[in-house]
Amino acid sequence: MKIGLIIYNTNHLPSWQLRLIEYIFANPKLELVLIVSKAANCLEKNNLLKFLITIQTKIERKLFFKRPFLNNRSKIEEKLKNTKQILLEEGFSNNDQALMKNIELVLNLENITYLPYYFLNSKYGVWSLKYGLGSSIYQNAIGFLDVINKSSSIKVNLIRHTFSSKEIIDNAWFNRHWSITKTNDILLESSVILIEKNLNKIEKIENTVFPAFIAKNNELTITNFISYILMFNIILLKKFYSMLSNFFLKKRNYCFTIFVGKGNAMKLSKLDEKPIFPDKGEFWADPFIFPYNSNNYIFFENFSYKTKKGKISCGIIKNNKIINKTDVLELNTHLSYPYIFKENGDIFLMPENTEKGGLHIYKCIEFPNKWELYSSCFKGERIADASFFKDKNNQKWLFLNKGSTENVPLENELYIYKIDSLKFNTIISHKENPVLIDSRVARNAGATFNFQNKVYRPSQANIEGIYGKHININKIEILNIDEYKERIVKMFEPNIEKGFIAMHHLHQIENIFAYDAAFKTL
């Protein structure tokens, strides 16, 4: 398929655009044949508001948030030199027009509203992204209104523009940050996968009728900017105070701890067990229960505030306490989410190790604290919260979260793979991967479980600028290699009155369950 791009300047492409171009180059079904850019002297003139946002962005970049960078930038830019480029303002020669007639899809990666006739007449139209509450100022302002208005989450629409219509092909949802600069990075970098996913299934899109897109003219004002500056500095002061209290008063901020309850959480309207307080200088999260020799062991992430690194610990649950606590797996990288399970009579541990990259399974040699590496897959990829699931037909599945770069949060995308065994000799990607692009529900929050002959997947709700605002319980309605469908049937929220601000994990087995929640300070 022949593709055209609309961008501003090929000499200063941001990371997210380079990543998309790299994807097009790497896909044998796609061919980038034309780049249409807008001359620098034709860009919108700066007004006062744009100037102020630019200054604020530069300050935030300098002090807090580095600009996303792609290591192989020079290779992509060098390859781009072989692609035909024309300026939008210079008009089109006969040769240009002939080339444009052969283009099947145009990706408008900028806020350019004037589109040539041939582009609108292309087979798949012109695709563009519309972010949240929106603003027509410029790209640095993407997400600004959502931060100011404290949007629960930010919706990004993929729009198809033709002569006759503007339609919403697909959409995704992302969590905001308290900084406009970081929110901007999250939205731009995270939205690349939305385009890639739909490029992969473009044949299904050609003749599909989608909902109409109705543009909303939400504009920023100087008042908005002043409100943001006040909010930004108040948050900085709060963070500075938290840092001081942590250092001088030995307070643990955003401290996760574990709770254990009897029975089935699905029968409860809320979770309100007594906390099992972590040892000093630690937080405990991601609990998994594992029955062994008449005892219920609990495996969990043991995070040290001193080293800023997690290890895997475990102990025996007794009288709402964890006794015989021991460390079972500690590496020179951060570990969390100790998914422990039994398969063919053996015990396996599948912790998250994003820092190392890939997915690694350990086999138990001597329970509970002697393990050896059994298998690995997804080498070099950023993998989080992987869960193993065997369905009623004995088919084996992996549910996991991914992020293609450090600037793409691991909470956005859910992937499903069908595997032959834990040796990963055969891994088949789900046809709809990522099956979800939605920070409100995508990230796993514990193992799947059965209740009344139905299968449920716990997931995190990453909303309101909070990591793990609450837990969703999702009923899996369809699961095969071509289709996946689930729906939220239950939510568990943290008890704010008792000082909890987040919860992001639930593990249910038989008649006992465990979950975590975070104190604001402890």
Side-chain angles (χ1 to χ4, degrees):
M1 179 175 64
K2 298 183 183 299
I3 292 179
L5 289 183
I6 298 177
I7 53 181
Y8 271 148
N9 189 339
T10 55
N11 294 322
H12 301 283
L13 290 175
S15 166
W16 72 276
Q17 292 184 358
L18 286 168
R19 287 175 47 223
L20 183 57
I21 291 169
E22 181 182 33
Y23 171 81
I24 294 172
F25 282 149
N27 192 322
K29 296 181 179 180
L30 306 177
E31 181 185 2
L32 180 59
V33 298
L34 180 65
I35 294 176
V36 178
S37 57
K38 196 171 184 179
N41 59 3
C42 293
L43 300 180
E44 294 180 66
K45 294 181 179 180
N46 282 331
N47 56 31
L48 177 59
L49 184 54
K50 288 180 64 176
F51 172 75
L52 291 173
I53 293 175
T54 300
I55 295 300
Q56 179 64 21
T57 301
K58 287 183 177 180
I59 292 172
E60 293 186 22
R61 288 278 184 222
K62 185 72 173 177
L63 298 178
F64 306 109
F65 310 107
K66 292 182 179 179
R67 188 179 301 278
F69 182 78
L70 209 61
N71 290 328
N72 58 342
R73 163 184 289 271
S74 58
K75 292 182 179 180
I76 302 171
E77 290 176 336
E78 185 65 29
K79 198 169 183 179
L80 271 177
K81 293 179 181 179
N82 298 322
T83 303
K84 170 70 176 177
Q85 299 183 31
I86 57 177
L87 287 175
L88 192 62
E89 290 75 20
E90 291 183 352
F92 307 108
S93 66
N94 291 335
N95 289 337
D96 292 339
Q97 293 178 27
L99 180 60
M100 291 164 69
K101 286 180 180 179
N102 292 324
I103 290 177
E104 298 168 90
L105 170 67
V106 178
L107 300 178
N108 182 5
L109 304 186
E110 306 288 354
N111 188 26
I112 297 176
T113 54
Y114 168 71
L115 297 170
Y117 165 89
Y118 297 109
F119 286 174
L120 293 172
N121 201 40
S122 60
K123 183 176 181 180
Y124 298 106
V126 178
W127 291 7
S128 61
L129 294 167
K130 299 298 180 184
Y131 304 88
L133 296 176
S135 171
S136 62
I137 289 184
Y138 71 142
Q139 211 166 73
N140 277 17
I142 287 172
F144 203 125
L145 285 173
D146 295 276
V147 173
I148 289 294
N149 288 278
K150 297 182 178 179
S151 299
S152 176
S153 54
I154 304 175
K155 185 179 183 180
V156 177
N157 287 313
L158 178 60
I159 309 300
R160 176 172 65 182
H161 188 180
T162 65
F163 274 118
S164 58
S165 66
K166 286 185 179 180
E167 301 171 315
I168 302 174
I169 296 174
D170 202 354
N171 53 54
W173 295 86
F174 305 113
N175 202 3
R176 60 177 167 81
H177 192 271
W178 54 272
S179 156
I180 57 167
T181 304
K182 187 61 178 177
T183 297
N184 186 274
D185 289 343
I186 290 171
L187 292 176
L188 293 173
E189 295 287 339
S190 298
S191 296
V192 172
I193 191 64
L194 183 60
I195 298 177
E196 293 177 358
K197 177 177 179 177
N198 284 277
L199 285 175
N200 283 334
K201 59 177 184 179
I202 196 164
E203 292 83 3
K204 297 179 182 179
I205 291 174
E206 181 180 3
N207 298 314
T208 303
V209 178
F210 294 100
F213 173 74
I214 301 173
K216 295 181 180 179
N217 296 318
N218 297 311
E219 296 294 342
L220 285 172
T221 64
I222 294 292
T223 302
N224 292 142
F225 181 78
I226 294 172
S227 297
Y228 173 74
I229 294 299
L230 290 172
M231 181 185 73
F232 181 84
N233 286 287
I234 288 171
I235 292 174
L236 281 184
L237 287 173
K238 287 181 178 179
K239 288 184 175 294
F240 182 66
Y241 172 77
S242 294
M243 183 181 69
L244 290 178
S245 67
N246 178 261
F247 183 79
F248 291 107
L249 304 177
K250 305 302 178 183
K251 293 285 187 180
R252 287 174 283 179
N253 300 309
Y254 207 73
C255 182
F256 276 94
T257 190
I258 290 171
F259 304 74
V260 175
K262 294 181 180 180
N264 197 301
M266 291 296 288
K267 296 180 180 180
L268 304 176
S269 58
K270 64 178 182 178
L271 301 178
D272 195 24
E273 281 62 37
K274 292 182 179 180
I276 301 174
F277 291 99
D279 294 341
K280 289 183 179 181
E282 300 175 350
F283 77 54
W284 297 349
D286 297 346
F288 285 91
I289 302 172
F290 189 79
Y292 187 84
N293 284 352
S294 302
N295 288 315
N296 283 318
Y297 283 78
I298 188 163
F299 285 67
F300 56 93
E301 171 195 350
N302 184 344
F303 179 86
S304 167
Y305 282 86
K306 183 178 180 179
T307 64
K308 306 298 182 185
K309 189 179 72 173
K311 58 187 175 182
I312 306 304
S313 298
C314 86
I316 297 172
I317 302 169
K318 188 173 183 179
N319 298 327
N320 203 50
K321 293 182 180 179
I322 297 177
I323 64 172
N324 299 337
K325 184 170 77 73
T326 182
D327 298 334
V328 301
L329 189 63
E330 185 173 10
L331 305 175
N332 58 3
T333 51
H334 173 75
L335 296 174
S336 61
Y337 202 81
Y339 185 92
I340 182 169
F341 61 103
K342 186 176 286 189
E343 171 72 354
N344 295 331
D346 291 316
I347 302 172
F348 295 93
L349 187 66
M350 187 166 60
E352 176 187 319
N353 192 350
T354 308
E355 194 177 337
K356 181 178 180 180
L359 180 64
H360 311 281
I361 293 184
Y362 296 83
K363 183 178 178 180
C364 185
I365 304 303
E366 184 179 325
F367 192 86
N369 49 11
K370 189 173 182 181
W371 304 80
E372 68 176 15
L373 184 63
Y374 180 76
S375 62
S376 299
C377 60
F378 302 109
K379 184 179 180 180
E381 296 190 56
R382 295 177 69 240
I383 306 294
D385 296 354
S387 297
F388 173 74
F389 169 60
K390 189 184 296 186
D391 65 22
K392 62 183 180 181
N393 298 316
N394 208 36
Q395 297 181 108
K396 301 177 181 67
W397 303 90
L398 280 179
F399 285 67
L400 53 86
N401 303 105
K402 283 189 188 183
S404 51
T405 75
E406 291 183 356
N407 298 292
V408 176
L410 288 162
E411 64 202 41
N412 293 340
E413 304 162 24
L414 175 66
Y415 291 77
I416 298 176
Y417 296 89
K418 187 177 180 181
I419 61 173
D420 63 327
S421 69
L422 296 180
K423 280 295 187 181
F424 304 121
N425 296 312
T426 303
I427 302 176
I428 303 174
S429 177
H430 195 282
K431 296 291 179 61
E432 293 291 322
N433 270 341
V435 296
L436 293 175
I437 311 175
D438 190 341
S439 69
R440 303 171 304 172
V441 74
R443 185 156 180 170
N444 289 324
T448 56
F449 63 91
N450 292 287
F451 177 67
Q452 297 179 348
N453 297 318
K454 303 295 181 182
V455 182
Y456 297 86
R457 182 183 74 93
S459 71
Q460 298 176 7
N462 291 290
I463 58 174
E464 299 178 19
I466 296 173
Y467 170 56
K469 180 65 172 63
H470 65 255
I471 295 172
N472 308 302
I473 304 298
N474 310 283
K475 181 182 178 183
I476 298 177
E477 298 184 327
I478 300 175
L479 172 60
N480 55 59
I481 201 63
D482 298 304
E483 189 177 3
Y484 179 73
K485 184 178 180 181
E486 66 176 27
R487 63 183 175 90
I488 298 174
V489 296
K490 203 175 191 68
M491 293 189 300
F492 292 116
E493 297 182 332
N495 192 328
I496 297 174
E497 294 178 356
K498 294 185 178 181
F500 296 102
I501 56 174
M503 58 192 307
H504 74 353
H505 185 95
L506 170 71
H507 187 218
Q508 174 75 60
I509 65 164
E510 299 172 356
N511 290 314
I512 187 171
F513 60 90
Y515 60 96
D516 64 17
F519 283 99
K520 186 176 182 179
T521 57
L522 183 64

